Amino acid sequence: MLGANGAGKSHFLRLLAGDPVAHGGSWRLGARVVPALFAQTHAHPQWQDRTLVDLLWEGDAARSGLDRGRAMGALRRYGLNQQGDQVFGSLSGGQQARLQILMLELSGATLLLLDEPTDNLDVLSAEALEEGLASFDGTVVAVTHDRWFARSMDRFVIFGADGSVYESDEPVFDETRVARPR
């Protein structure tokens, strides 16, 4: 999803994720669609002193645990296998973001909703994220202003400056800020 800041892209992602604050009406996704929302502002204080392998081994209410071999394979897909025995709190911001998206994938999500996933990532982290997402067996919907990241997508929903929403075969980055009524 592309468009100017303030056009409603992030709000729309929260709506798809089922955020009750994002809307007042009702809607539903397909029966087999399991959405999972990633936003750069997610904090995980309960992970700070835990290694990545330990986090994957333990599992949680949303996902089964993985033995060390399967955990390392999952981490490899997101370029994190070298950090398997590192604690989450010592990872760079880009590494933490990639692990969070991997955790959403492992929770059974079939629809990843990514709000600015490459924001504040270095080039290597962004490339590793893109490679991890390429192996995801589901649908990825991303809000981005990142031209490099957008090139990996095959369809674009544009939030126009006039309040319209339209589909495009090519990325559109020249929409201006949505005019607010006075």
Side-chain angles (χ1 to χ4, degrees), residues 69-103:
R70 290 181 54 218
M72 292 303 286
L75 291 168
R76 187 172 295 107
R77 286 198 326 269
Y78 283 87
L80 295 169
N81 52 308
Q82 298 296 318
Q83 289 75 31
D85 293 316
Q86 227 175 299
V87 296
F88 179 80
S90 71
L91 299 176
S92 71
Q95 292 167 332
Q96 288 183 358
R98 285 183 276 148
L99 180 71
Q100 290 174 59
I101 292 170
L102 171 61
M103 296 294 251

Side-chain angles (χ1 to χ4, degrees), residues 23-103:
H23 64 88
S26 64
W27 60 274
R28 65 180 205 173
L29 296 171
R32 292 185 196 98
V33 177
V34 180
L37 178 65
F38 166 81
Q40 285 283 358
T41 58
H42 284 179
H44 297 282
Q46 72 280 16
W47 295 356
Q48 290 302 311
D49 298 321
R50 313 262 318 274
T51 69
L52 307 190
V53 169
D54 185 44
L55 288 169
L56 294 175
W57 173 79
E58 185 175 275
D60 58 31
R63 60 179 178 74
S64 300
L66 301 175
D67 63 43
R68 183 173 178 87
R70 290 181 54 218
M72 292 303 286
L75 291 168
R76 187 172 295 107
R77 286 198 326 269
Y78 283 87
L80 295 169
N81 52 308
Q82 298 296 318
Q83 289 75 31
D85 293 316
Q86 227 175 299
V87 296
F88 179 80
S90 71
L91 299 176
S92 71
Q95 292 167 332
Q96 288 183 358
R98 285 183 276 148
L99 180 71
Q100 290 174 59
I101 292 170
L102 171 61
M103 296 294 251

Side-chain angles (χ1 to χ4, degrees), residues 3-166:
N5 290 333
K9 302 175 303 294
S10 296
H11 186 82
F12 185 69
L13 274 188
R14 288 192 311 273
L15 176 111
L16 289 175
D19 182 343
V21 177
H23 64 88
S26 64
W27 60 274
R28 65 180 205 173
L29 296 171
R32 292 185 196 98
V33 177
V34 180
L37 178 65
F38 166 81
Q40 285 283 358
T41 58
H42 284 179
H44 297 282
Q46 72 280 16
W47 295 356
Q48 290 302 311
D49 298 321
R50 313 262 318 274
T51 69
L52 307 190
V53 169
D54 185 44
L55 288 169
L56 294 175
W57 173 79
E58 185 175 275
D60 58 31
R63 60 179 178 74
S64 300
L66 301 175
D67 63 43
R68 183 173 178 87
R70 290 181 54 218
M72 292 303 286
L75 291 168
R76 187 172 295 107
R77 286 198 326 269
Y78 283 87
L80 295 169
N81 52 308
Q82 298 296 318
Q83 289 75 31
D85 293 316
Q86 227 175 299
V87 296
F88 179 80
S90 71
L91 299 176
S92 71
Q95 292 167 332
Q96 288 183 358
R98 285 183 276 148
L99 180 71
Q100 290 174 59
I101 292 170
L102 171 61
M103 296 294 251
L104 293 175
E105 175 186 329
L106 294 174
S107 73
T110 59
L111 172 62
L112 291 178
L113 304 166
L114 309 179
D115 196 357
E116 306 262 359
T118 59
D119 205 26
N120 302 317
L121 296 188
D122 61 45
V123 172
L124 293 176
S125 290
E127 287 175 348
L129 173 64
E130 187 176 338
E131 289 171 18
L133 292 174
S135 68
F136 175 64
D137 189 24
T139 302
V140 175
V141 176
V143 169
T144 190
H145 296 277
D146 181 338
R147 293 170 189 259
W148 180 84
F149 181 68
R151 75 170 174 34
S152 67
M153 302 295 161
D154 63 356
R155 283 178 263 194
F156 303 91
V157 175
I158 314 300
F159 284 65
D162 61 357
S164 65
V165 178
Y166 60 95

